[in-house]
Amino acid sequence: MEEPNDSSSQRGDSGTYISTHIVEVITALILLCLAALVIYDAVRVGNGWESDGPQAGFYPFYVGLLLGFASLAILVQQFMHRGEDDPVFLAPGQTYHVMAVLLPSCAYVGAIYLLGIYVSSALFLFLFMRWQGKFGLMKTLPISIAVPLIVFLLFDKWFKIALPKGPLEAWLGL
Amino acid sequence: MEELNSLMQGFAVALTGQNLLLMIIGILLGVLIGVLPGLGGANGVAILLPLTFSMSPTSAIIMLSCIYWGALFGGAITSILFNIPGEPWSVATTFDGYPMAQQGRAGEALTAAFTSSFVGALAATIMITFLAPLVAKFALKFGPPEFFAVQLLTFCSFIGMSKGHVAKTIASMTLGFSLAAVGLDTVSGQLRMTFGTTELLRGFDFLIAVIGLFGIGEILLSMEEGLAFKGVRAKIDTRIVWQTWKKLPAYWFTSVRAILIGCWMGITPGGATPASFMSYGVAKRISKHPEKFGKGQIEGVIAPETAAHAAGTSALLPMLTLGIPGSPTAAVLLGGLLIWGLQPGPLLFVEHKDFVWGLIASIYLGNIAGLLIVLTTVPWWAAILRIPFSIIAPVIIVICAIGAYTVHNAMLDVVLMMVFGVIGYIFKKLHYPLAPMVLALVLGDMAEASFRQSMLLSQGNMSIFFSNYLVGSIVTLALVLLLWPAPKAINDWNVRRRLRKAPPDEVITE
């Protein structure tokens, strides 16, 4: 993976970019590994026939085999078209934009484990809007408090569906 | 006319105050979902599914299916006003809808789009009304081999009709099948691919996959452009609506063609997206002025919208009668039926008549309500799209996380949702189709079960799939559909070998 770069220019940039070709090959390789895993497990549980019909691994075995063939076909095709027109998968600016959503979202999911869904949602909304949108407190604070509050009233109070809670809710006795 | 009687009873079910209210809420939520990037019919319904667990199944399906109709309508708004398809099936609508809006004909384009959507849906619903009971009656004779044959047909037609890369369609589908096989094998009681973890016992829920693939994946895609929405302002008043309606009958032939394409693509699991492209393509090819397409031709709006709505609606026919969904959203609705304890399939028409006909009646009512609502509320939706994306994006991610959590009250699902989000993003960028994966995830267990039951019946003899005319002809049809593109592919390959440096095909898939 290339270093994320702050320039938001599109293709044609002199900076590094991620090539579609490489992503295609990596994806196909991952699929190939998954296929191997599926076949391995199918053989483990038995992929043959019993007196009354196929064993538990019969069906996954052929599914895995097909997945393997398909990913090999994609690999071969990528190999054959090597050196031809290779479109940009992500230009540097785009990598930055995508990572700017992906990484905070992953952090948000992690935070749910520690803080519960309400507090981490409020924090995520607040920080994201401040950082990405550069909005003032007048806009970010009300939204980041209102959204979790509405969710709380809708799920916890109205529909009685419990969402993960954290230390704050315990402290408030909710 | 037995169907008409049943339908009238259905209207009696659907026309209660509570159900009408749910219908309107559903349409409004659906249009909102359709307008917002990252939320679409499939994941929108998936997220809201847990909220309906406490309702009666009939009310729940009425609300959820209305969300679907709303989303189908909503996609057109962003396409025409902002040149941003809110839904994959409204991509083709941007080709002529946005140029029309730029020429100051936004009201006309929107009216044409909404009306065509309505016409497409209405035609498909009429088809469902009369065809579904027949199909269900026919399918009552189905045993496991026949069901497996129909499932085979579903997947073969996916491969055969895929516009994109065949290997990628197969990879996407088999990945779905593999994920579906994870967990406890119900026949033998063995654990498959859990690798010693207890969390994987439940297997992968396709609702989580849908929320991740279509929700998070879409947000990542939209974010790439560092989105700034630049829209055209629209005004719809009764005068514009009347003027447009007066023009529309002239294009009746375009509509009929679009309806036929849409119904066909909806019943066979082509789905709304390919239907809209195909319909646009055919309209352009047949038109006397193909050069005008792409520059604001009203037919270029009518054709894809009619087909998309017809396909989206008729996708419910195989879902209700055979338990085989024709689109990812229909798959989510099918998941809902299973959760409410209703087994989709031919018996549904016998055992739960109220439910089925209430649903069918609600499709009629929902689309009428939808047309009126969208025609009157367009400016609001356009205003929502002017909210900066850096506010909308985190809110949608929060909604997706909550939706994923509530499916099983499991945190692992939220993590899986993010993983599926990344998969969805990469697959979309590399033109792997997502619909086959979702349908394989839904149908994987069913297809395996009917295959193994057939094998039990025949004691392992494959010839059971050709043992009578019915199953034999379905299997043959499946194989024909599978090999349909082969002659053309071989020809293309030869041509490409000669033109080594041919430009790569633009691939458009859902």
Side-chain angles (χ1 to χ4, degrees):
Chain A
M1 289 284 159
E2 269 78 0
E3 276 289 296
N5 180 326
D6 214 328
S7 78
S8 55
S9 51
Q10 300 270 320
R11 66 177 59 195
D13 195 337
S14 56
T16 48
Y17 62 86
I18 301 172
S19 100
T20 302
H21 183 69
I22 290 176
V23 184
E24 286 270 15
V25 170
I26 293 174
T27 311
L29 284 175
I30 293 174
L31 288 175
L32 195 62
C33 294
L34 282 175
L37 199 66
V38 172
I39 294 170
Y40 164 79
D41 190 77
V43 173
R44 182 185 63 84
V45 294
N47 65 328
W49 291 77
E50 271 167 22
S51 53
D52 56 350
Q55 284 178 311
F58 178 83
Y59 185 84
F61 179 78
Y62 288 97
V63 165
L65 220 53
L66 258 178
L67 179 58
F69 279 130
S71 36
L72 274 179
I74 296 167
L75 271 180
V76 167
Q77 218 226 359
Q78 283 300 318
F79 188 71
M80 274 165 48
H81 291 261
R82 188 180 42 150
E84 284 178 26
D85 174 44
D86 181 16
V88 177
F89 185 78
L90 272 179
Q94 292 176 318
T95 317
Y96 170 76
H97 280 300
V98 172
M99 287 302 152
V101 189
L102 187 60
L103 298 180
S105 309
C106 293
Y108 164 59
V109 173
I112 299 177
Y113 277 102
L114 296 173
L115 302 171
I117 210 159
Y118 299 110
V119 176
S120 42
S121 299
L123 280 176
F124 173 62
L125 288 168
F126 181 76
L127 293 174
F128 193 94
M129 284 187 271
R130 289 287 289 181
W131 176 47
Q132 279 291 307
K134 312 258 186 296
F135 295 109
L137 286 174
M138 289 300 287
K139 248 186 187 167
T140 44
L141 261 184
I143 297 175
S144 41
I145 293 173
V147 171
L149 198 67
I150 294 169
V151 170
F152 177 74
L153 292 175
L154 189 68
F155 281 82
D156 212 87
K157 291 289 162 212
W158 192 15
F159 283 100
K160 307 253 180 268
I161 297 172
L163 296 176
K165 288 174 185 169
L168 180 72
E169 288 87 349
W171 182 68
L172 287 173
L174 285 170
Chain B
M1 293 301 265
E2 197 192 323
E3 287 85 10
L4 286 181
N5 274 334
S6 312
L7 186 63
M8 285 306 139
Q9 282 166 15
F11 275 113
V13 174
L15 272 172
T16 61
Q18 195 208 356
N19 286 347
L20 279 178
L21 184 69
L22 285 175
M23 213 177 277
I24 290 168
I25 294 175
I27 296 276
L28 289 173
L29 276 175
V31 180
L32 180 67
I33 283 167
V35 167
L36 291 175
L39 288 176
N43 59 14
V45 176
I47 289 169
L48 291 165
L49 197 58
L51 291 183
T52 63
F53 289 166
S54 54
M55 297 180 191
S56 81
T58 314
S59 304
I61 190 99
I62 286 176
M63 187 172 115
L64 290 177
S65 60
C66 280
I67 292 173
Y68 187 19
W69 318 137
L72 280 163
F73 276 116
I77 299 177
T78 56
S79 299
I80 291 169
L81 295 183
F82 293 83
N83 202 20
I84 297 162
E87 298 295 332
W89 54 70
S90 44
V91 173
T93 314
T94 61
F95 300 163
D96 278 277
Y98 187 63
M100 280 180 84
Q102 280 178 314
Q103 295 158 14
R105 290 154 69 205
E108 189 187 333
L110 285 168
T111 311
F114 295 149
T115 315
S116 320
S117 304
F118 174 74
V119 171
L122 189 69
T125 319
I126 293 171
M127 180 208 62
I128 290 181
T129 308
F130 293 100
L131 201 58
L134 292 180
V135 175
K137 208 173 278 177
F138 186 61
L140 275 177
K141 291 183 207 135
F142 279 19
E146 283 82 5
F147 272 110
F148 180 74
V150 175
Q151 281 145 356
L152 188 70
L153 179 68
T154 307
F155 290 108
C156 287
S157 66
F158 249 129
I159 298 171
M161 306 220 283
S162 74
K163 278 255 171 61
H165 198 304
V166 176
K168 285 182 177 171
T169 309
I170 296 175
S172 169
M173 188 183 292
T174 45
L175 183 62
F177 278 128
S178 309
L179 293 175
V182 174
L184 189 74
D185 171 34
T186 44
V187 180
S188 68
Q190 276 173 298
L191 292 179
R192 294 193 298 199
M193 287 182 268
T194 57
F195 303 105
T197 53
T198 44
E199 283 91 350
L200 285 178
L201 263 181
R202 275 187 292 113
F204 290 93
D205 194 305
F206 80 100
L207 291 173
I208 307 298
V210 164
I211 296 172
L213 290 172
F214 296 109
I216 304 293
E218 198 63 42
I219 292 278
L220 292 176
L221 264 185
S222 316
M223 208 51 201
E224 209 170 80
E225 310 298 329
L227 266 194
F229 292 126
K230 281 202 188 74
V232 180
R233 291 197 181 274
K235 219 175 61 206
I236 293 194
D237 52 38
T238 31
R239 204 174 49 87
I240 295 178
V241 173
W242 275 121
Q243 279 177 350
T244 314
W245 279 357
K246 267 189 249 162
K247 275 190 208 168
L248 287 180
Y251 301 103
W252 67 273
F253 189 58
T254 307
S255 304
V256 171
R257 216 166 40 218
I259 287 167
L260 291 178
I261 293 172
C263 288
W264 169 250
M265 298 291 274
I267 296 173
T268 62
T273 310
S276 62
F277 280 109
M278 196 192 240
S279 176
Y280 184 88
V282 171
K284 188 176 172 181
R285 209 174 306 143
I286 294 183
S287 165
K288 286 182 196 120
H289 313 283
E291 75 285 353
K292 281 190 186 165
F293 275 76
K295 294 175 188 150
Q297 184 82 338
I298 196 165
E299 276 173 275
V301 173
I302 297 171
E305 280 295 310
T306 313
H309 245 194
T313 311
S314 41
L316 291 187
L317 176 90
M319 189 272 267
L320 284 173
T321 53
L322 301 170
I324 293 170
S327 74
T329 313
V332 178
L333 290 174
L334 178 114
L337 295 189
L338 292 172
I339 292 170
W340 304 315
L342 298 170
Q343 180 66 44
L347 280 176
L348 201 63
F349 278 77
V350 182
E351 288 170 357
H352 298 280
K353 266 195 141 165
D354 272 6
F355 172 81
V356 171
W357 289 104
L359 169 63
I360 293 175
S362 82
I363 308 178
Y364 286 97
L365 296 172
N367 273 296
I368 295 170
L371 180 65
L372 295 176
I373 289 173
V374 286
L375 277 177
T376 47
T377 54
V378 162
W380 302 357
W381 308 115
I384 285 175
L385 270 179
R386 292 198 174 80
I387 300 172
F389 194 62
S390 42
I391 294 180
I392 290 182
V395 173
I396 290 172
I397 292 171
V398 167
I399 293 173
C400 287
I402 294 169
Y405 178 82
T406 46
V407 174
H408 291 293
N409 292 327
M411 265 312 289
L412 180 74
D413 284 347
V414 185
V415 178
L416 281 176
M417 172 199 78
M418 289 302 298
V419 175
F420 276 113
V422 175
I423 296 176
Y425 171 70
I426 292 173
F427 272 27
K428 267 216 173 144
K429 290 221 59 160
L430 299 181
H431 304 299
Y432 282 78
L434 293 180
M437 180 166 154
V438 173
L439 292 201
L441 202 45
V442 180
L443 292 178
D445 284 340
M446 279 188 241
E448 187 184 0
S450 43
F451 176 74
R452 281 161 85 174
Q453 282 160 7
S454 317
M455 287 300 106
L456 285 178
L457 284 175
S458 71
Q459 299 185 329
N461 195 339
M462 287 287 192
S463 67
I464 188 166
F465 294 120
F466 290 95
S467 60
N468 62 45
Y469 285 114
L470 185 57
V471 65
S473 49
I474 302 175
V475 171
T476 312
L477 183 62
L479 295 178
V480 168
L481 278 176
L482 178 67
L483 297 174
W484 191 254
K488 192 177 172 294
I490 293 166
N491 186 33
D492 282 359
W493 191 68
N494 280 330
V495 171
R496 210 171 297 167
R497 239 178 17 161
R498 262 173 268 146
L499 310 157
R500 246 305 87 119
K501 279 215 127 198
D505 293 330
E506 270 303 314
V507 179
I508 304 158
T509 36
E510 191 170 354

